[in-house]
């Protein structure tokens, strides 16, 4: 597609439920990233995928969070047993180059997650 | 540990005047710096970047200045226009894939 696509755009869930967020990166981009933005804060790195390499999961806040990516396409971020502190905007980005100069990441519009 | 800091959460400027946004970083391994612009309900959009081998990069109304010794960069918007009203994020990376972001500065351009 023309840009990074995320779905759903908004998700309201009850505490304790599982949620799944989807990201379609720009075609041809080998690198894919998930970030979280809490209200009034900057973007917080969660996880990174690059080709067939093992993902960097160092930013995942707890074992309730997991993510998968199918080849160099769609990625899903799953949050199990959601808590109120998981409420945030979850942003996905993709890039053509995965390091060094010109690592320009292109973002989707995000999924706004509200845990009641 | 906040490695990139934007100490001004908001900035109000009159249309036609200059907007100056500031950003400080702590990690001396950062060698590439970016500015993103974000409108409500949209994802951040890449605006302009600078490599550490330069101290200035200009693109139309937008100029980014880098002072490596002070670990400081700034974004100048001249002249400011109403469409520039948005949240601006400073980001930095080293020789890897991670971008570290500041908390953002909300710019309001007054008519």
């Amino acid at each position: 597609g023309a840009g990074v696509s995320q779905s759903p755009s908004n998700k309201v869930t009850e505490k304790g439920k599982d949620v799944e967020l989807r990201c379609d990166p720009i075609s041809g981009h080998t690198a894919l990233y998930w970030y979280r933005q809490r209200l009034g804060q900057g973007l917080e790195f969660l996880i990174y995928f690059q080709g067939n390499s093992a993902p960097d999961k160092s930013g995942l806040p707890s074992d309730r969070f997991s993510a998968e990516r199918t080849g160099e396409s769609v990625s899903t971020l799953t949050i199990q047993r959601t808590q109120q502190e998981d409420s945030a905007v979850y942003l996905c980005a993709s890039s053509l180059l995965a390091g060094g100069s010109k690592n320009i990441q292109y973002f989707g519009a995000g999924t706004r997650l509200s845990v009641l | 540990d906040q490695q990139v800091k934007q100490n001004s959460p908001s900035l109000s400027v009159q249309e036609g005047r200059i907007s100056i946004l500031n950003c400080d970083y702590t990690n001396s391994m950062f060698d590439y710096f970016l500015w993103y612009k974000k409108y409500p309900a949209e994802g951040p959009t890449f605006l302009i970047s600078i490599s550490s081998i330069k101290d200035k990069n200009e693109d139309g109304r937008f100029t980014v200045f880098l002072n490596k010794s002070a670990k400081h960069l700034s974004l100048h918007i001249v002249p400011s226009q109403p469409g520039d009203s948005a949240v601006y994020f400073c980001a930095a990376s080293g020789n890897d894939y991670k971008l570290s972001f500041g908390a953002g500065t909300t710019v309001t351009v007054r008519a």
Side-chain angles (χ1 to χ4, degrees), chain A residues 33 35 45 56 58 98 103 105, chain B residues 30 92-94 96-100:
Chain A
Y33 316 77
Y35 293 87
F45 168 79
D56 177 353
S58 61
N103 179 17
Q105 299 179 18
Chain B
F30 287 152
S93 72
D96 63 8
Y97 41 78
K98 294 181 182 178
L99 287 182
S100 295

Side-chain angles (χ1 to χ4, degrees), chain A residues 87-110:
Chain A
S87 297
V89 177
Y90 289 83
L91 291 156
C92 175
S94 69
S95 68
L96 187 58
L97 298 174
S101 295
K102 299 189 178 180
N103 179 17
I104 298 173
Q105 299 179 18
Y106 297 86
F107 285 82

Side-chain angles (χ1 to χ4, degrees), chain B residues 3-4 10 12 29 41 43 46 54 62 64-65 69 79 82 88 92-93 95 100 104 111:
Chain B
Q3 299 188 79
V4 178
S10 63
S12 180
M29 299 302 292
F46 170 73
K54 295 184 176 182
F62 302 90
V64 56
F65 296 91
S69 61
Y88 291 79
S93 72
N95 193 26
S100 295

Side-chain angles (χ1 to χ4, degrees), chain A residues 64-112:
Chain A
R64 296 186 295 105
F65 287 71
S66 63
E68 293 183 350
R69 186 180 186 192
T70 307
E72 293 186 351
S73 59
V74 172
S75 175
T76 56
L77 176 69
T78 301
I79 308 173
Q80 295 178 311
R81 306 180 303 282
T82 53
Q83 303 295 314
Q84 289 184 332
E85 62 262 27
D86 300 334
S87 297
V89 177
Y90 289 83
L91 291 156
C92 175
S94 69
S95 68
L96 187 58
L97 298 174
S101 295
K102 299 189 178 180
N103 179 17
I104 298 173
Q105 299 179 18
Y106 297 86
F107 285 82
T111 294
R112 181 175 297 278

